[in-house]
Amino acid sequence: MKKILVVSLAALLSACAPSQMGVGVSAPQVMASPMTPVTVRPGQALYVRYSYPRTLLKVDDAPFRALEIDFGSRDNSSNVHSASSPVSWLSVTPQDLPPGVDVALAQAFVAKEIVGTTHPSSGATSVNYYERVWVTLKVTAAPTARAGAPKVGTLVYSHDGTQSEVPLLVRVDGGGTGSPSVQ
């Protein structure tokens, strides 16, 4: 009986543990800025999320006008949550990446990213937000990818006949396979 209880308790606790960031599309490593470099190891697939200003990817107003901020949805500090919607019209083509490295678009969202919520004495709630495009990329290094200095590649984002080139700094780390690494 004790053995079953210990196994059940271990399974329950592991289900509550935070997942490792970067190992899946639902738990990407969130990059600090569009210029944050990605470090990937040979044989590794790493999911990373970048937040781009909509103007960088030349996205017009229409998808952002369709987003509605839910003022009733708040966190524990009474801050309003960001509004987002998935998009399927965005694609990416990587260029000039280190040999053995590939990048694919895993998912994309348009978002009104809330950066501040204020509660004036009048009882109204005011929010400040940025219009962003959130992209989750799957960065894969072949087992034969060779370690080296960081290399600046290019991601060409395309939608509705429009293209935008965005630099992507990638480094293959010589540490072998293992947990994700982001610098």
Side-chain angles (χ1 to χ4, degrees):
M1 179 68 172
K2 286 183 183 180
K3 193 175 205 178
I4 294 172
L5 180 61
V6 170
V7 171
S8 298
L9 182 59
L12 178 64
L13 291 175
S14 68
C16 297
S19 62
Q20 186 175 14
M21 301 308 285
V23 296
V25 71
S26 61
Q29 177 69 46
V30 178
M31 308 307 272
S33 80
M35 296 307 298
T36 302
V38 177
T39 300
V40 64
R41 295 183 177 130
Q44 179 185 41
L46 178 65
Y47 289 85
V48 295
R49 189 182 98 180
Y50 285 97
S51 177
Y52 298 119
R54 77 173 180 89
T55 54
L56 183 64
L57 300 187
K58 302 175 187 166
V59 177
D60 64 25
D61 291 336
F64 295 96
R65 280 195 309 264
L67 290 175
E68 293 184 12
I69 295 172
D70 180 359
F71 287 90
S73 176
R74 299 170 187 252
D75 64 18
N76 291 338
S77 300
S78 202
N79 294 315
V80 175
H81 292 284
S82 298
S84 65
S85 179
V87 298
S88 60
W89 41 257
L90 187 66
S91 65
V92 67
T93 304
Q95 298 176 348
D96 303 321
L97 297 176
V101 174
D102 190 36
V103 173
L105 182 63
Q107 63 183 196
F109 291 83
V110 291
K112 288 183 178 176
E113 189 174 299
I114 306 294
V115 294
T117 302
T118 55
H119 311 282
S121 59
S122 66
T125 299
S126 176
V127 298
N128 293 321
Y129 63 88
Y130 292 120
E131 293 178 334
R132 303 278 193 189
V133 179
W134 295 338
V135 297
T136 299
L137 303 171
K138 181 180 182 183
V139 181
T140 307
T144 56
R146 303 191 87 181
K151 179 171 174 52
V152 178
T154 302
L155 298 177
V156 180
Y157 287 98
S158 303
H159 63 89
D160 303 323
T162 302
Q163 291 189 334
S164 304
E165 292 186 5
V166 178
L168 178 69
L169 186 60
V170 179
R171 182 173 77 90
V172 176
D173 184 14
T177 59
S179 62
S181 171
V182 177
Q183 288 185 343

